Amino acid sequence: MSAPKLSTRDLCKSFEKDGASIEVLRGLNIDIARGEFVSIVGASGCGKTTFLRLVNGLIRPSSGSAFIDGRAVTTPGGEIAFVFQQDGLLPWRTVLDNTIIGPELQGKNMGKARDLASSYLALVGLRGFEKHYPHELSGGMRQRVNMARALTAGADVLLMDEPFAALDAQTREIMQTELTRIWSETGKTVLFVTHQIDEAVFLSDRVLVFTVRPGRLKEEVAIDLPRPRDLALKRRPEFGAHVDRIWRLIEEEVRDSIRRETEEALAAAQR
Amino acid sequence: MGSLGIRRWSLSFGVAAILWEAVALWLDNKLFLVRLGAIGQRFVELIQSGELMADMRVSFIEFAGGFGLAILVGISAGVVMAAFKGLRDLVDPWVSMLYATPTIALGPLFMLAFGIGYASKIALVFLTCVFPILINTLAGLKTTDRTLLEVVRSYGATPRQIYFKVRIPAALPFIIAGLRVSVARALVGVVVAELFGARAGLGFLIFRSAQSFDTAGLFVAVFILAVCGVACVEFLKWIEIRLAPWRFNNMDEE
Ligand SMILES: Nc1ncnc2c1ncn2[C@@H]1O[C@H](COP(=O)(O)OP(=O)(O)O)[C@@H](O)[C@H]1O
Ligand SMILES: [Mg+2]
């Protein structure tokens, strides 16, 4: 692999909580090539969101670093854009004004930003909705604005944290095909977190499987299915084989995680 | 308000007017309840003599002065308190205490301190309505959706940008709601302040009328105050809906 677009070296994160230290991520070494689409799957609470926030620079690692083009990430903004699970659109701003928030905050040329935003809104299928307000849109449309906003920020790297989790099953499938199309048209590097294994397999070049907390890289699975992919692929045996393999990798982890979450909730209730 | 709203309002006013007239006829006590016609007549008289305009002018100045000052101070203090936690911890108990106290009871004291002119009235109106504004401003600034904050931070917002582009717009509907609560308190403040001693004003008109057994004159003042109160509250409600339509989206009229 040539020099990776995004990499992490010995990335560790612990949180202090009520005087105790919770180790969430331990020694992650990950390399992602320019233009690659990589997904992360893992049991709930294994530190996937924390990992994205570290890579984005929203929080600082306890040790180790994340790098973009070989430079350590220190603050958010600029070369990485984050697509959050909740759309996080400012309700008092129109779709267009939400979409241009990245360039606006970074003091860029607003005329250019508006043109760029309009073209990305068209790309995600929202031409003509520029003047609408978020509360006038459906959940799927708001997630499209969320994506257009990240693209307009001009970042090469998109971090996406379960962006389709709140959508109904049909909308989610449509959004998956849309995302592969947008990804191939824009050539972005994408790091995508999901708890849906079939979503990870369908979208990705590679799937990283995390262990339970403290999150480590358990295994990486290359998805060698041909592109362009369409939804019919999901019914093919080689697709199912990938899904099964990943599910077997995390089944035990998920059971552990459920058991631990139950125990923690009980302990908290008894306190 | 749609045409349905107007129909409902006129219906409810019509019924109230009929009831009023019926009770007034049945009671036949001009000291307690006079016929609507008599109130209308007194209204015209008070206008022609110039008394009403003078009273309204005075009350308006007291209201605008006290309420305006409360808006200025309430919002600024809320903004400052939201920004400095140390200050907030120090001042918070006092704010909650004074908010719950019927500060209007301090009226006589204010007369002694500031005389019976505008100053004492404005001070009392200010004190009765500054706290809801302050508390709502503070609450609005402190309860910003964490997702929104994280989103703008991820796009590189500076603390200053976070404040002006997220916290303040998110707090605006709260602030307007605070104004809506205070506007009614401000009107009460005006009337009560004038009852403690004044030379003119709608509250003083009520006082004067009662002293001279002029029940019709008293109701003229009460009705004018009621109309002003409703108009202010409806206006602020309208602004609130314009500013934050998403907060009313999932609400049903019924
Ligand atoms: N700011 C924080 N302070 C304390 N603990 C945190 C914080 N953020 C996350 N955690 C803990 O870290 C663990 C991993 O969280 P997260 O990264 O959200 O997991 P995932 O996204 O994989 O479900 C959880 O146990 C969570 O409680
Ligand atoms: Mg998460």
Side-chain angles (χ1 to χ4, degrees):
Chain A
M1 188 157 60
S2 61
K5 178 74 193 171
L6 188 167
S7 58
T8 66
R9 286 290 168 269
D10 302 319
L11 195 66
C12 298
K13 181 67 187 179
S14 304
F15 287 108
E16 305 300 322
K17 203 170 180 180
D18 308 327
S21 173
I22 309 174
E23 188 184 12
V24 176
L25 292 172
R26 183 188 290 172
L28 282 164
N29 289 298
I30 283 164
D31 290 298
I32 296 173
R34 179 182 312 277
E36 200 179 9
F37 197 121
V38 175
S39 289
I40 299 176
V41 297
S44 135
C46 75
K48 304 181 294 294
T49 298
T50 304
F51 181 66
L52 292 191
R53 295 173 79 220
L54 284 168
V55 172
N56 191 210
L58 278 166
I59 51 176
R60 307 300 308 270
S62 304
S63 64
S65 294
F67 300 88
I68 298 287
D69 292 324
R71 270 167 293 136
V73 173
T74 50
T75 49
E79 296 164 273
I80 317 172
F82 204 134
V83 178
F84 293 82
Q85 177 169 355
Q86 294 99 352
D87 54 73
L89 300 176
L90 302 176
W92 53 86
R93 283 183 173 232
T94 61
V95 164
L96 184 68
D97 287 344
N98 265 293
T99 310
I100 58 171
I101 192 121
E104 178 183 331
L105 292 171
Q106 287 152 24
K108 301 248 176 75
N109 178 321
M110 292 312 288
K112 248 193 247 159
R114 254 180 226 107
D115 293 343
L116 199 61
S118 299
S119 65
Y120 279 127
L121 283 171
L123 185 68
V124 300
L126 285 178
R127 191 196 297 281
F129 285 92
E130 288 84 354
K131 294 214 165 70
H132 283 61
Y133 284 88
H135 70 95
E136 298 167 329
L137 307 182
S138 70
M141 290 161 95
R142 284 210 292 269
Q143 262 331 333
R144 288 161 192 263
V145 180
N146 192 358
M147 249 191 297
R149 174 175 64 184
L151 293 166
T152 305
D156 299 336
V157 179
L158 296 185
L159 307 178
M160 309 183 83
D161 191 6
E162 308 197 23
F164 307 147
L167 306 179
D168 63 75
Q170 288 86 357
T171 310
R172 185 161 52 224
E173 301 227 307
I174 301 298
M175 293 294 284
Q176 289 167 2
T177 50
E178 295 281 287
L179 178 58
T180 44
R181 178 179 61 81
I182 291 164
W183 168 73
S184 63
E185 282 177 32
T186 56
K188 305 280 179 185
T189 307
V190 181
L191 186 52
F192 189 96
V193 164
T194 178
H195 60 254
Q196 297 229 310
I197 297 170
D198 72 321
E199 181 168 88
V201 171
F202 180 73
L203 294 172
S204 310
D205 298 320
R206 232 173 351 133
V207 176
L208 309 179
V209 181
F210 275 24
T211 66
V212 283
R213 210 174 70 206
R216 281 147 293 154
L217 187 59
K218 184 184 176 91
E219 180 112 24
E220 45 176 289
V221 179
I223 310 296
D224 47 8
L225 302 169
R227 293 185 186 270
R229 301 173 184 170
D230 57 25
L231 287 174
L233 177 68
K234 290 193 178 183
R235 287 186 296 274
R236 296 178 61 97
E238 57 270 37
F239 185 89
H242 279 299
V243 173
D244 280 346
R245 164 142 189 250
I246 295 171
W247 172 241
R248 275 199 302 277
L249 283 170
I250 61 171
E251 184 178 4
E252 199 48 42
E253 308 276 335
V254 171
R255 287 188 204 287
D256 274 0
S257 142
I258 292 173
R259 193 179 314 125
R260 182 163 65 188
E261 281 188 345
T262 318
E263 280 164 9
E264 280 177 358
L266 280 175
Q270 277 162 5
R271 234 180 280 133
Chain B
M1 205 187 314
S3 69
L4 186 76
I6 291 170
R7 267 225 307 271
R8 214 161 44 198
W9 278 69
S10 12
L11 183 70
S12 121
F13 279 132
V15 170
I18 292 168
L19 278 176
W20 179 292
E21 289 288 271
V23 174
L25 277 172
W26 175 70
L27 268 181
D28 195 24
N29 180 348
K30 289 211 175 49
L31 219 53
F32 182 60
L33 201 65
V34 291
R35 302 273 305 271
L36 290 172
I39 298 172
Q41 201 181 342
R42 189 78 186 102
F43 175 69
V44 174
E45 280 169 27
L46 283 167
I47 290 219
Q48 279 167 347
S49 71
E51 261 178 273
L52 193 57
M53 286 325 272
D55 285 327
M56 281 170 61
R57 215 184 115 252
V58 168
S59 286
F60 176 76
I61 291 172
E62 294 163 358
F63 169 81
F67 190 52
L69 208 60
I71 293 176
L72 265 174
V73 173
I75 294 179
S76 330
V79 167
V80 172
M81 279 172 72
F84 301 101
K85 184 170 173 350
L87 183 72
R88 189 160 70 243
D89 293 342
L90 208 67
V91 182
D92 237 359
W94 289 96
V95 171
S96 324
M97 211 171 72
L98 283 167
Y99 177 55
T101 306
T103 42
I104 207 131
L106 294 173
L109 196 66
F110 279 47
M111 300 298 144
L112 292 177
F114 302 116
I116 63 165
Y118 286 127
S120 59
K121 315 295 190 299
I122 289 178
L124 194 62
V125 170
F126 167 78
L127 198 63
T128 56
C129 60
V130 70
F131 293 109
I133 300 177
L134 195 168
I135 286 171
N136 269 46
T137 305
L138 189 58
L141 289 171
K142 296 301 322 167
T143 55
T144 320
D145 185 344
R146 293 205 6 230
T147 313
L148 299 187
L149 295 176
E150 181 127 278
V151 166
V152 291
R153 279 215 306 126
S154 85
Y155 286 111
T158 61
R160 199 189 150 81
Q161 286 176 321
I162 291 176
Y163 212 82
F164 285 100
K165 291 190 191 279
V166 184
R167 283 199 191 274
I168 292 197
L172 263 186
F174 285 80
I175 297 175
I176 305 288
L179 298 186
R180 223 175 56 204
V181 174
S182 332
V183 85
R185 291 172 71 125
L187 284 173
V188 173
V190 166
V191 173
V192 175
E194 289 174 5
L195 293 181
F196 289 135
R199 288 186 210 96
L202 287 172
F204 187 61
L205 174 60
I206 292 176
F207 180 75
R208 257 177 10 239
S209 307
Q211 292 289 302
S212 56
F213 308 110
D214 173 14
T215 308
L218 185 150
F219 277 120
V220 168
V222 170
F223 280 147
I224 290 175
L225 286 164
V227 168
C228 292
V230 170
C232 287
V233 169
E234 287 296 320
F235 175 63
L236 287 168
K237 226 188 257 174
W238 180 78
I239 292 187
E240 214 177 328
I241 295 173
R242 294 302 298 275
L243 272 179
W246 63 93
R247 298 180 78 206
F248 300 88
N249 221 24
N250 302 324
M251 290 181 201
D252 197 9
E253 269 279 287
E254 282 310 294

